[in-house]
């Protein structure tokens, strides 16, 4: 991965092919290589880029990953918004507040805290199991902000531990290293126990699939049990 010293402080423009800008004007966050007139192959991973139409009109701002065919992930459609540390801290805080609107989840329960694209954080999934967090990063560009994200989750939620997962498939596609690591704290045992739909569940954050227990399907689990 390119070093941060190679990253320009100013966004680098990348033009879409003629007529390819329309999905991104509608806030589709994924820009595949096939949609770009300029490939951005020489840019550093995590460089902030400004996507433009073929005639130079500003469309959106995102992070580039020259190792991936999903070349740019878009995070802002506001031309004055900078994609910096504070931006990602604020997006995480907004996601936490959205989850609170859905009701209080018991301390021994589980919930998805960050829903990737749905929370404007393409490539980031965060699950809470009791007092532990499972974090999955699937975007090479976003990995530039790994420490900012993990530090802010620790400060905002005060978990007993945070497990970082980068699965082999994402690592291969995004030019990352496969990672299964407790970045803070540690597991209380092989399984972390949590309550969901009136049952006690156990999840292996280090050895399980993705972030652990498909918490985005919790309501479907309840329906299937009826």
């Amino acid at each position: 991965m390119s070093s941060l010293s190679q990253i320009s402080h100013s966004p680098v423009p990348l033009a879409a092919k003629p007529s390819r800008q329309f999905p991104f004007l509608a806030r589709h966050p994924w820009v595949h290589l096939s949609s770009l007139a300029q490939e951005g192959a020489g840019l550093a991973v995590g460089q902030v880029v400004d996507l433009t139409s073929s005639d130079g009109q500003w469309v959106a701002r995102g992070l580039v990953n020259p190792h991936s065919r999903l070349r740019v992930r878009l995070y802002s459609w506001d031309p004055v918004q900078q994609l910096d540390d504070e931006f990602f801290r604020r997006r995480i805080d907004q996601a936490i507040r959205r989850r609170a609107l859905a009701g209080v989840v018991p301390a021994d329960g589980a919930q998805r805290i960050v829903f990737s694209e749905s929370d404007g954080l393409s490539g980031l999934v965060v699950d809470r199991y009791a007092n532990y967090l499972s974090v999955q990063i699937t975007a090479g560009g976003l990995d530039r902000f790994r420490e900012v994200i993990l530090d802010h989750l620790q400060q905002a939620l005060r978990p007993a531990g945070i497990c970082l997962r980068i699965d082999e498939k994402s690592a291969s596609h995004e030019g990352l290293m496969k990672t299964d690591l407790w970045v803070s704290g540690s597991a209380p045992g092989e399984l972390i126990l949590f309550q969901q739909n009136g049952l006690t569940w156990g999840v292996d954050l280090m050895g399980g699939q993705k972030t652990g227990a498909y918490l985005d399907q919790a309501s479907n689990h309840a329906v299937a049990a009826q």
Side-chain angles (χ1 to χ4, degrees), residues 163-167 178-182 205-208 210:
C163 179
L164 175 65
R165 306 291 305 274
I166 301 177
D167 63 80
K178 182 181 182 298
T179 302
D180 298 290
L181 175 69
W182 284 96
L205 294 187
M206 288 287 285
K210 296 188 176 181

Side-chain angles (χ1 to χ4, degrees), residues 28-43:
H28 192 292
W30 291 2
V31 184
H32 287 272
L33 180 60
S34 59
S35 294
L36 291 170
Q38 299 164 294
E39 296 186 355
L43 296 177

